[in-house]
Amino acid sequence: MLILHTSDWHLGRTFHGVDILDVQRQAMSEIVQWVKERGVAVVLVSGDVYDRAQPRTEVVELLNATLGGIRAAGAQVVLTSGNHDSPARLGFGAEIMAHGGVHLLTSVAGAERPVVFRQRNGSVTAERAPSVALKDAGDHGDTHEDAVAVYGIPYLEPRAVAPLLDCPPTHQAVLGAVAQGIAVDKRTRAGIPSVVMAHAFVTGAEPTDSERVVDSGGLGTVSAEVFAEHDYTALGHVHRRQRVTDTVRYSGSPVAYSFSEASHTKGAWLVDIGAPGVRKVEELEHEAGLRLARLRGPLATLLSAPENAAAQDAWCQVVLTDPERPAAAMERVRTRFPRTVELRWEPKGGRSLSPRRYSAQVAEAASPEELCARFYDHVRHRGLSPEEAQDVNDVVASVAGAGAQR
C-alpha cells in the first residue's frame, strides 16, 4: 500500500506580507497529481493544515478543492491538527466526512483508535477501529499484506491535556502518555503494520526560522523513542524535510516560509508499507514554490555584481555590510532586486551595532548643529551628508536669527 506523507501546508500563510495562495494552490495540485500518477492509497497530512485558527474564505475553499481532488484521484485522507489549527474548526463534521473518505483526527480522546485501511483489487476501504483486537483479517476476505493501521495524534498543548492524562505538563510527558495507549492497542493488531501521525518537535530534528516556538527550555522536545514500536511515524511541525530515524520522518512544508529554507528541496515522502512493515520510502519533489535569494555585501557591489543577476526576479533577503547605513537603502536595492522583502544592515568593520547611550552622546554635543547631527546619526546609523549638514546649519541659523529679533 502506498501512503503519501505530507504536512504543514499552512494554507493562507503569507511570505513577508506577500500573498502566496497561488503558489500554495500549485503545490496542492501537485499533491493531487502524485496521487493519480503513483496510485497512492492514503494521504497523511500531519498538522498545520491552515496557518491560522480562523482561515479566510478562499483558504477554506482551497482545502475543500484539494481534498476533493485527492478523493477523486482515488486516495483516502487523514488530517490531524497542528499548533496553528483550531482542532474544533478543522474537526467539524469529522464523523460525516469519514464516510466520504476524509478522516479528521483532531482530538486526544480516542487517539488510540486507529483508522484501519485495507486495499483490495485497487480499492481502499477504511474503518475507525474500536480499541480492541480486530477479528482475524480473514473475516474481511483479505490478508494483512494490504492493511495498515493509522493512529492520528493532534498537536497536544501540555498544560491543557496534562490533567486529562494525569502526567506532567511537558511535551515529552503528554505525547508519551498518548503513545503508551496507542502501543497497547497496536499489540492487539498483530500482523498489521502501524503508522503514527504526530505534530511535535522531535529531538535531533533540524528546524527552520518559520516554525512557531511552542515551548522553551527543552520542555517542547520529544524523544524519537516514543514512536519506536511503530513501522512509520509521519511527523509535522518542522518545515525541513528530513529523516530523524529510518522510521521517524518529517515531510516538511510544501512551500518555503522563511529565507532559512532558501536551499531546501520541498516535497513529501512516498511510503510503501505492508507486512511485515515499510518496504521503501521515496522522496517526491515539488516543482511549485518561491524562488528565494539571500544576498550579502556592500550596496554598490550588490547593485553591480554580474553574479547577482539570477536574483533579480527572486524574492530577496538583502544584508548590507557598508560601514555606514546607506541612504534610501531599500529604494536603491529594489532598483535591481524589486522583490526584496527583507533588508538588514550588518556593518563589516564599521560602526558598532550597540552604540553608546544616546544620553551620553547628547551630553557631549558642543552646539545645536552638532546636537542635531548626533540625533540623525543615532536614528539612521549614518552621519549627515554635506547637503544635509548645510540644511541643518541653515535651519539653526534661521531659528537663532528669529530669536534675536524678539
Side-chain angles (χ1 to χ4, degrees):
M1 185 182 300
L2 291 179
I3 292 179
L4 182 67
H5 167 204
T6 178
S7 73
D8 294 274
W9 289 356
H10 286 278
L11 298 180
R13 187 162 185 162
T14 61
F15 185 80
H16 290 266
V18 177
D19 191 329
I20 57 170
L21 195 62
D22 284 347
V23 178
Q24 293 180 320
R25 185 175 289 107
Q26 293 172 33
M28 296 299 101
S29 295
E30 290 179 352
I31 290 174
V32 173
Q33 194 62 32
W34 288 337
V35 173
K36 293 178 181 177
E37 294 176 349
R38 301 293 187 123
V40 173
V42 183
V43 175
L44 309 180
V45 189
S46 299
D48 283 352
V49 179
Y50 292 126
D51 188 58
R52 57 184 61 189
Q54 299 186 50
R56 309 189 314 266
T57 300
E58 57 268 34
V59 175
V60 177
E61 291 171 346
L62 174 55
L63 177 61
N64 180 59
T66 302
L67 297 180
I70 292 172
R71 289 295 295 124
Q76 300 220 14
V77 190
V78 184
L79 294 91
T80 56
S81 50
N83 55 298
H84 280 250
D85 300 309
S86 163
R89 289 187 176 89
L90 184 63
F92 174 77
E95 293 189 14
I96 298 171
M97 293 185 71
H99 292 291
V102 176
H103 309 272
L104 306 173
L105 308 183
T106 64
S107 171
V108 66
E112 76 284 355
R113 294 178 53 217
V115 180
V116 179
F117 294 97
R118 299 180 182 278
Q119 188 172 40
R120 185 181 184 186
N121 299 325
S123 178
V124 181
T125 60
E127 169 193 14
R128 186 74 190 274
S131 299
V132 295
L134 286 175
K135 294 181 180 180
D136 185 81
D139 294 343
H140 298 272
D142 55 12
T143 63
H144 286 165
E145 278 78 6
D146 56 5
V148 62
V150 175
Y151 299 87
I153 307 176
Y155 169 73
L156 303 176
E157 209 297 309
R159 288 169 294 183
V161 301
L164 302 175
L165 301 172
D166 192 24
C167 66
T170 68
H171 284 270
Q172 177 73 32
V174 297
L175 197 52
V178 174
Q180 275 188 331
I182 290 175
V184 170
D185 184 84
K186 171 193 163 51
R187 293 174 199 137
T188 70
R189 307 180 192 280
I192 297 182
S194 62
V195 173
V196 173
M197 302 168 66
H199 195 87
F201 185 82
V202 174
T203 306
E206 187 175 354
T208 73
D209 293 341
S210 61
E211 298 97 11
R212 179 183 296 172
V213 176
V214 294
D215 214 326
S216 60
L219 298 179
T221 60
V222 177
S223 169
E225 294 179 0
V226 166
F227 311 107
E229 291 196 37
H230 300 282
D231 295 279
Y232 186 82
T233 299
L235 294 175
H237 183 54
V238 176
H239 295 174
R240 180 192 296 267
R241 183 176 60 183
Q242 59 195 285
R243 166 191 166 279
V244 180
T245 71
D246 280 341
T247 59
V248 179
R249 301 177 185 237
Y250 285 98
S251 67
S253 59
V255 177
Y257 295 120
S258 72
F259 282 104
S260 65
E261 303 162 65
S263 62
H264 294 187
T265 299
K266 294 297 184 177
W269 296 111
L270 184 63
V271 184
D272 184 356
I273 190 168
V278 174
R279 302 181 179 110
K280 181 181 179 182
V281 180
E282 180 184 353
E283 294 181 353
L284 299 182
E285 297 183 359
H286 280 293
E287 294 182 5
L290 299 173
R291 285 195 61 243
L292 305 180
R294 307 175 85 175
L295 305 174
R296 184 184 185 91
L299 177 57
T301 301
L302 295 180
L303 294 179
S304 60
E307 60 267 26
N308 293 332
Q312 291 178 188
D313 61 350
W315 297 100
C316 295
Q317 176 196 70
V318 177
V319 179
L320 300 179
T321 59
D322 301 78
E324 289 195 342
R325 184 191 293 271
M330 181 62 92
E331 292 84 349
R332 294 163 67 185
V333 165
R334 284 180 171 169
T335 60
R336 186 179 188 190
F337 310 107
R339 289 185 169 182
T340 299
V341 292
E342 184 177 351
L343 180 66
R344 300 180 187 175
W345 177 57
E346 298 177 5
K348 181 178 180 181
R351 67 169 68 234
S352 169
L353 285 175
S354 300
R356 292 178 302 145
R357 291 176 60 87
Y358 179 57
S359 58
Q361 298 181 55
V362 169
E364 296 174 359
S367 66
E369 293 86 351
E370 186 176 353
L371 178 62
C372 292
R374 287 175 182 262
F375 170 77
Y376 277 101
D377 185 85
H378 175 77
V379 172
R380 302 188 308 180
H381 303 290
R382 67 176 178 84
L384 294 173
S385 68
E387 295 80 7
E388 292 170 334
Q390 185 59 54
D391 288 340
V392 168
N393 292 341
D394 291 345
V395 170
V396 171
S398 175
V399 172
Q405 291 178 3
R406 292 178 183 175

